[in-house]
Amino acid sequence: MPPQLPDDVVEEILARFPPDEPALLVRAALACKAWHRIVSGAGFRRRFRQFHRTPPVLGFLRNVGYGKEFARFVPTSTFRPRRADWGGWRATAASSSTDVARFVRATRFYPCRGERRDFRALDARHGRVLLASMPWEPGLKVQGLEVWDPVTDELWELPDVPHPHSPTSWNAAVVCGAHGVCDHLDCRRKPFLDVFLDSRPKKKMRLFVYSSEAGTWSEPTYGPPSPTNGVEMVPPALVGNALHFLIDATYIILKYDLATRTVSTIFLPDDFISDFAALTTTEDGRLGFARVEKRTAKDNRFTVTCIHDHWSMDRSIVLETLLNVDACSIRNDCVAFAHGVGVFFVGTDVEWFSIDLKSGRVRKENYGDGFNYGVVPYTSFYTPGIALLGP
Amino acid sequence: MEVDKGKGEAEETRKVAEADRDTVTLKSSDGKLFEVSKEAAARLSTVLAGMIAGGSIDDNGTDLKQIGSEALENVVDYCNKHANSIPSAALISSSISFNTAPFKEPEEWERKFVDRLSHDALFDLVEAANFLGMERLLDVTCHKISEMMKGKSPDQIREVFNIKNDYTKEELEEIRQELAWAFYDD
């Protein structure tokens, strides 16, 4: 029989468990109560995050339509959120079409609520997911916004978005409230901000900020005039203290500085013709975008471009060979980026792939059924909660 | 230059040599002596670095009462192998930029080094690495242990670590239901 290891050595071992295998920590917690106390303690939680630094992609939220639209959490790990279905939010109308935000796993983790009917996932950052309640009707009218933490299953319903807002041209972001001072490794218990961008035709774009601490929406901050083609509903990117919204892929990126509460614009290159792109960030804090370009039926070139001093091509990948799929099936409106880890998601008519740019690893993700409206990657650390042990 | 020396002279030469020796002698709990490169010991172990800097190294063997001879032999072996290996880009970058690159996968020789250890020897080595403040060796040994834990049930984990289950059946069942995702078979 091997001798028992002292607690501090056990902690050293558990802190080095790979964060993309969250089930290992849960099983370790079930070995004995002392181990459970170690992994569910605040000290370990902090230590684990500081040791690994980069939160893994636990999964992604897939916006799926049945008939018209449906959203889901698709796990890419083994983690599963707790509320897999949201009874209170089921469609009230006897409609043949449904929208669901569905969690798809990338690790084992799966949240309690793996599926949200009549919801659409808009953004995810710092362990939280932003969902919009959107019972199907013409346009994209938002009924309400919610912020959800799939790991702890905490849910915050936000007060009504300031009205009137454009029913079809808007976007929103969720971000930790302590910008500039937080390292975002363990801030899920801290206040958050939600930034709502409204783009009404023939009026100036406006931004409203909801603070969970204050519990209210701010007065609007005005930006440039609304674009004719509307706001792209793709997850915004955070670089430093600034959120970047893709306004219209043929036009501009709107930059909102959370610290100074000011708006500025970044012009996209003149030859930018794609109608869909995902905003990307690099480790050294550069903003860029990725898009799938279909030059010809045979050439589905997936390009990643970074904004630096000027727009320049950073990288170009030919998806057809990399994914070994029929080029015609690659969709140009299904591309997403997991910030921090540098993982892209690309969809075809029948499959989802994740592409890790650093390691070159390509993985086929669980697809499921329904029609894809895009994915929102979810990156977070998972450590078992204290609640498991009871009083 | 081969010159005959008197006893006193030889003693003098030995003392001078020891003062700038490039190795240190470590003594295990069971009294065995091991020589290790001073440079590697200071670079890889915060505890040994402190002792060398503070002059508390004993030329006749620095007592490490918490570490058995087998574990100490492995520690010394690791240090010497490390001293001989080409400084890897991985280690250089982790020392420069801890914030972005905290953990680097074990290198091939490190992997082989821990793979050959018995279960007990591996656990003893983790304890020794922890005691001596050897971050990299902790990384490598703990990485091996976490690999051993993959696919293991809580029962099997208890067996590996020799720990007693102090949960009730009901408590275990409750957690299993709560976190069912962590328990389905691989």
Side-chain angles (χ1 to χ4, degrees), chain B residues 22 31 37 40 44 49 55-56 61 64-65 78 85 89 95 98 101-102 107 117-118 138 150 155 161 163-164 170 186:
Chain B
D22 53 8
S37 145
L44 296 168
S56 51
L64 296 172
K65 290 203 169 65
Y78 178 81
S85 77
S95 64
F98 182 75
E107 291 181 41
L117 299 175
S118 72
L138 262 180
K150 274 183 198 173
D155 272 341
F161 285 87
I163 43 185
K164 281 203 180 77
E170 292 71 29
D186 285 307

Side-chain angles (χ1 to χ4, degrees), chain A residues 2 16 29-31 51 78 108, chain B residues 102 139 158 162 167 181 184 186:
Chain A
R16 285 169 173 79
L30 254 71
F51 185 82
T78 54
R108 276 213 170 177
Chain B
D139 285 354
R158 284 181 211 118
N162 182 27
Y167 284 106
W181 57 265
Y184 68 82
D186 285 307

Side-chain angles (χ1 to χ4, degrees), chain A residues 242-253:
Chain A
L243 278 168
H244 296 76
F245 293 88
L246 190 62
I247 298 308
D248 178 319
T250 59
Y251 183 38
I252 58 163
I253 286 170

Side-chain angles (χ1 to χ4, degrees), chain A residues 112-123:
Chain A
C112 298
R113 298 178 240 213
E115 225 170 77
R116 299 292 308 275
R117 208 170 273 256
D118 290 327
F119 272 88
R120 180 170 176 147
L122 301 172
D123 188 30

Side-chain angles (χ1 to χ4, degrees), chain A residues 294-367:
Chain A
K294 288 194 181 193
R295 295 224 168 93
T296 65
K298 280 279 169 198
D299 182 10
N300 277 285
R301 195 154 292 180
F302 175 53
T303 63
V304 184
T305 310
C306 283
I307 301 176
H308 196 196
D309 299 326
H310 52 277
W311 294 96
S312 62
M313 181 74 73
D314 203 37
R315 195 153 178 183
S316 177
I317 305 166
V318 180
L319 288 175
E320 188 187 349
T321 25
L322 184 71
L323 307 179
N324 195 21
V325 293
D326 178 9
C328 302
S329 69
I330 299 170
R331 288 178 53 181
N332 72 329
D333 60 343
C334 283
V335 54
F337 182 71
H339 300 273
V341 285
V343 173
F344 284 92
F345 290 85
V346 176
T348 70
D349 289 337
V350 288
E351 288 165 309
W352 271 110
F353 293 92
S354 64
I355 304 166
D356 186 326
L357 281 189
K358 266 189 220 160
S359 67
R361 182 186 59 87
V362 175
R363 193 166 75 178
K364 200 183 278 189
E365 302 291 351
N366 184 359
Y367 184 83

Side-chain angles (χ1 to χ4, degrees), chain A residues 196-274:
Chain A
F196 186 84
L197 168 67
D198 176 29
S199 168
R200 292 176 297 172
K202 295 178 185 170
K203 300 211 161 146
K204 281 186 173 174
M205 286 189 276
R206 345 177 260 176
L207 288 136
F208 298 90
V209 180
Y210 171 82
S211 150
S212 68
E213 209 167 17
T216 53
W217 288 96
S218 70
E219 290 300 309
T221 301
Y222 289 93
S226 294
T228 44
N229 292 348
V231 167
E232 298 286 334
M233 206 182 259
V234 295
L238 181 72
V239 180
N241 284 338
L243 278 168
H244 296 76
F245 293 88
L246 190 62
I247 298 308
D248 178 319
T250 59
Y251 183 38
I252 58 163
I253 286 170
L254 190 78
K255 179 177 174 183
Y256 178 69
D257 192 307
L258 293 161
T260 60
R261 299 194 166 201
T262 50
V263 178
S264 54
T265 49
I266 298 171
F267 288 91
L268 291 163
D270 293 342
D271 59 347
F272 192 92
I273 47 159
S274 171

Side-chain angles (χ1 to χ4, degrees), chain B residues 29-164:
Chain B
S29 59
D30 44 347
K32 286 194 182 161
L33 297 176
F34 298 92
E35 292 252 320
V36 63
S37 145
K38 191 188 269 181
E39 183 278 325
R43 179 160 50 88
L44 296 168
S45 157
T46 54
V47 170
L48 291 178
M51 289 170 93
I52 291 165
S56 51
I57 287 287
D58 186 340
D59 292 337
N60 298 318
T62 302
D63 268 332
L64 296 172
K65 290 203 169 65
Q66 292 79 353
I67 306 176
S69 57
E70 196 190 354
L72 192 55
E73 187 175 354
N74 283 322
V75 165
V76 166
D77 198 12
Y78 178 81
C79 289
N80 289 336
K81 279 203 169 79
H82 210 286
N84 295 333
S85 77
I86 302 157
S88 75
L91 288 165
I92 290 166
S93 76
S94 72
S95 64
I96 291 169
S97 163
F98 182 75
N99 284 351
T100 53
F103 175 72
K104 293 288 177 188
E105 291 281 310
E107 291 181 41
E108 189 55 34
W109 73 268
E110 288 176 317
R111 211 176 272 276
K112 280 185 187 152
F113 180 82
V114 289
D115 279 351
R116 68 179 174 82
L117 299 175
S118 72
H119 183 115
D120 287 9
L122 177 66
F123 278 44
D124 287 345
L125 187 57
V126 177
E127 276 200 79
N130 185 51
F131 175 76
L132 291 169
M134 299 178 71
E135 271 298 310
R136 180 64 192 169
L137 184 54
L138 262 180
D139 285 354
V140 173
T141 47
C142 291
H143 183 268
K144 171 71 185 171
I145 294 176
S146 74
E147 277 185 343
M148 285 163 50
M149 304 271 280
K150 274 183 198 173
K152 287 208 162 49
S153 67
D155 272 341
Q156 291 166 318
I157 292 172
R158 284 181 211 118
E159 204 174 310
V160 171
F161 285 87
N162 182 27
I163 43 185
K164 281 203 180 77

Side-chain angles (χ1 to χ4, degrees), chain A residues 11-217:
Chain A
E11 186 170 336
E12 290 294 335
I13 295 170
L14 299 178
R16 285 169 173 79
F17 272 20
D20 59 353
E21 293 190 48
L24 284 181
L25 276 181
V26 175
R27 291 180 191 184
L30 254 71
C32 65
K33 289 182 179 176
W35 282 32
H36 193 156
R37 257 174 238 115
I38 291 172
V39 298
S40 58
F44 180 83
R45 200 172 65 226
R46 184 88 203 145
R47 175 90 207 281
F48 187 72
R49 284 154 174 75
Q50 276 175 336
F51 185 82
H52 297 283
R53 300 301 298 186
T54 310
V57 179
L58 285 184
F60 54 92
L61 280 123
R62 185 177 154 234
N63 292 314
V64 199
Y66 291 102
K68 284 171 188 150
E69 199 174 0
F70 197 87
R72 261 183 206 188
F73 189 88
V74 186
T76 53
S77 69
T78 54
F79 168 93
R80 269 182 183 267
R82 215 173 302 189
R83 300 175 221 197
D85 208 348
W86 295 60
W89 288 89
R90 277 183 185 283
T92 45
S95 161
S96 61
S97 57
T98 324
D99 297 344
V100 173
R102 180 174 298 154
F103 187 91
V104 182
R105 59 175 77 201
T107 67
R108 276 213 170 177
F109 168 77
Y110 195 73
C112 298
R113 298 178 240 213
E115 225 170 77
R116 299 292 308 275
R117 208 170 273 256
D118 290 327
F119 272 88
R120 180 170 176 147
L122 301 172
D123 188 30
R125 193 172 290 100
H126 306 145
R128 305 165 180 96
V129 177
L130 178 64
L131 295 148
S133 154
M134 298 166 79
W136 182 262
E137 55 182 90
L140 294 166
K141 196 165 188 299
V142 57
Q143 300 258 312
L145 293 174
E146 288 187 1
V147 170
W148 172 49
D149 182 334
V151 168
T152 62
D153 199 38
E154 284 168 287
L155 182 78
W156 299 268
E157 280 179 35
L158 272 53
D160 285 349
V161 174
H163 280 276
H165 69 81
S166 164
T168 54
S169 181
W170 58 274
N171 199 2
V174 64
V175 59
C176 162
H179 46 269
V181 290
C182 186
D183 61 10
H184 306 307
L185 288 176
D186 188 25
C187 60
R188 61 182 1 127
R189 282 160 189 83
K190 292 181 187 162
F192 62 84
L193 299 177
D194 181 44
V195 179
F196 186 84
L197 168 67
D198 176 29
S199 168
R200 292 176 297 172
K202 295 178 185 170
K203 300 211 161 146
K204 281 186 173 174
M205 286 189 276
R206 345 177 260 176
L207 288 136
F208 298 90
V209 180
Y210 171 82
S211 150
S212 68
E213 209 167 17
T216 53
W217 288 96

